[in-house]
Amino acid sequence: MSAIFNKGDVITNNYFTGTAYLKMLVPEGTEFNCPIGNVTFEPGARNNWHTHDGGQILLVTSGEGYYQEEGKPAQKLHAGDVVTIPANLKHWHGATKNSEFVHLAITTNPQKGSTNWLEPVSDEYYNAL
């Protein structure tokens, strides 16, 4: 799998299951007011359910992954897919079991707040997809 951007560093917080990496391409607090991170999920890795106070856009650049909004079925994502996530919508995203998954995560309206991390996506739930 070819990478467009540097993989970055392993994410070490408690908001991810499995191994994921982050390379900030446009950092928070810059004059551009539009933080952009390159996120790489190893197969089976995913983030917890969460919301964004100002919304988020995902641009899938490589691999195969999932995106799911609360109360809706999970969607399979591939390179070239774009996901627009409204403010305060509970969701999660991550790799499929057999593929790395890479996306650009664009924070929209960062002046409205940050990410609100919630419960993990359980192995039982994830494995049933």
Side-chain angles (χ1 to χ4, degrees):
M1 181 172 302
S2 65
I4 297 172
F5 300 103
N6 184 304
K7 194 182 257 191
D9 298 318
V10 173
I11 298 171
T12 58
N13 63 39
N14 293 324
Y15 307 128
F16 287 74
T17 299
T19 304
Y21 304 84
L22 173 65
K23 172 68 175 174
M24 288 305 296
L25 305 176
V26 178
E28 293 184 46
T30 68
E31 65 181 294
F32 302 107
N33 195 33
C34 187
I36 302 172
N38 184 62
V39 185
T40 302
F41 297 86
E42 289 189 352
R46 60 208 180 263
N47 53 30
N48 289 9
W49 288 96
H50 59 285
T51 64
H52 302 279
D53 293 335
Q56 185 180 51
I57 299 169
L58 304 178
L59 305 177
V60 181
T61 60
S62 183
E64 188 173 81
Y66 294 115
Y67 167 77
Q68 185 174 19
E69 298 174 359
E70 183 177 46
K72 294 185 178 178
Q75 302 173 35
K76 199 171 268 191
L77 300 177
H78 304 89
D81 287 340
V82 176
V83 180
T84 54
I85 306 165
N88 303 310
L89 179 69
K90 187 175 177 181
H91 68 284
W92 69 272
H93 32 104
T96 62
K97 296 172 199 153
N98 300 312
S99 176
E100 187 175 78
F101 177 61
V102 185
H103 65 55
L104 297 179
I106 303 169
T107 302
T108 57
N109 306 299
Q111 71 281 3
K112 291 186 176 182
S114 60
T115 303
N116 304 297
W117 293 104
L118 304 166
E119 70 277 7
V121 176
S122 72
D123 288 342
E124 179 179 80
Y125 184 87
Y126 177 83
N127 290 330
L129 292 174

